[in-house]
Amino acid sequence: MTTHPSLASAIETDLALQHSPLLRATLHTLRYIEANGPIALTPSKALKRYFVEWAAGAFEWPHFTADDLYAVNKVLNEHDFPPLVVLHDLLIATKLARHYKGHLALTNKGRTFAKEPDRLWHLLTAQILWHTDHGRYMRRPDQFDGDWRVILNIINFEAHDGATDDKIYAAILGVSEEQAKRDYILTAILYCYVLRPLAWAGLLAEVRTGTGFGMEHIYVKTPLWSWS
């Protein structure tokens, strides 16, 4: 059966809103600015605390909820909320917003894309996967030079029914899981450049089990994987 284009778009939008914390947070931010005006910035051009605190509650970002964040921070600044740091950079890079007179202001492009979540999701996903230097968010500015086509094929197979991050790293690196666990630098690069962006975009779902050093991170493809 052939799906009508408008129906396909509606289905995709629903899936993106359901599975992509990045899309939901971006829409919250764009609509916040539309309703309340530009967001004030600190002298270092970080978003001011009043918005960070609002975003922590409104975004309900998996593993970075307000409860999660306040469990380790008495007050919240932008750098205490890693997804917001990346989101801020994405808004500027995609020209959905801009810095203007000490504020983060909405652009005409941002107003347009706020009304078209499906197009917005594609824009954000392309930006966070293919055009973002994630090394700037790491303790050391390592670069990623892997073959995305090969890596996505591996993840497509490994994460079909769910796989731990160590199993995925091992498959990508062509080593045992024990060897992958010992290669902290390469696995950190793969996490920051591959698994985390795929999860934040909504192509993978991350499930955490256990606590402390015994915690496992399991990744499984979402229905969005077939739409990308």
Side-chain angles (χ1 to χ4, degrees):
M1 182 178 68
T2 301
T3 303
H4 190 280
S6 62
L7 177 58
S9 178
I11 293 170
E12 183 174 351
T13 297
D14 182 65
L15 289 174
L17 287 169
Q18 180 182 349
H19 295 285
S20 175
L22 178 60
L23 174 62
R24 295 194 301 268
T26 301
L27 286 171
H28 276 306
T29 302
L30 298 179
R31 291 166 181 172
Y32 179 98
I33 298 174
E34 280 196 298
N36 300 284
I39 302 164
L41 301 172
T42 68
S44 62
K45 295 186 178 180
L47 297 165
K48 283 204 169 181
R49 189 178 295 164
Y50 73 88
F51 179 78
V52 180
E53 293 171 344
W54 176 86
F59 290 1
E60 296 184 338
W61 198 292
H63 316 301
F64 292 95
T65 64
D67 287 344
D68 295 326
L69 295 171
Y70 280 114
V72 293
N73 301 283
K74 290 185 178 180
V75 297
L76 294 181
N77 295 300
E78 183 179 329
H79 67 264
D80 299 315
F81 191 0
L84 184 58
V85 174
V86 175
L87 172 58
H88 187 173
D89 289 342
L90 289 175
L91 290 174
I92 299 300
T94 55
K95 299 182 180 179
L96 295 169
R98 64 180 180 130
H99 291 165
Y100 180 70
K101 294 185 177 180
H103 291 75
L104 180 69
L106 198 60
T107 64
N108 288 332
K109 181 178 179 179
R111 290 187 181 88
T112 298
F113 273 78
K115 300 172 185 176
E116 301 180 50
D118 53 335
R119 288 183 64 209
L120 178 59
W121 177 71
H122 282 284
L123 174 69
L124 294 168
T125 299
Q127 186 67 36
I128 197 172
L129 291 179
W130 321 128
H131 307 298
T132 297
D133 175 13
H134 293 280
R136 64 183 297 183
Y137 309 120
M138 301 172 67
R139 291 183 179 179
R140 42 183 290 169
D142 292 295
Q143 296 298 304
F144 172 72
D145 60 359
D147 186 326
W148 266 109
R149 183 169 58 180
V150 172
I151 288 173
L152 289 176
N153 282 336
I154 291 171
I155 295 174
N156 184 51
F157 175 78
E158 297 291 343
H160 184 72
D161 294 315
T164 65
D165 52 350
D166 289 327
K167 185 176 182 181
I168 293 172
Y169 297 148
I172 292 173
L173 297 173
V175 300
S176 69
E177 289 187 45
E178 287 304 315
Q179 287 175 295
K181 289 179 181 179
R182 291 195 295 267
D183 201 331
Y184 300 110
I185 295 176
L186 278 179
T187 55
I189 292 171
L190 287 174
Y191 173 73
C192 288
Y193 276 90
V194 180
L195 290 187
R196 187 170 73 177
L198 286 170
W200 286 5
L203 293 162
L204 292 178
E206 179 190 357
V207 179
R208 298 182 182 182
T209 62
T211 58
F213 292 110
M215 181 181 292
E216 277 196 329
H217 300 247
I218 299 171
Y219 292 88
V220 62
K221 294 185 299 183
T222 74
L224 277 177
W225 188 275
S226 61
W227 283 96
S228 59

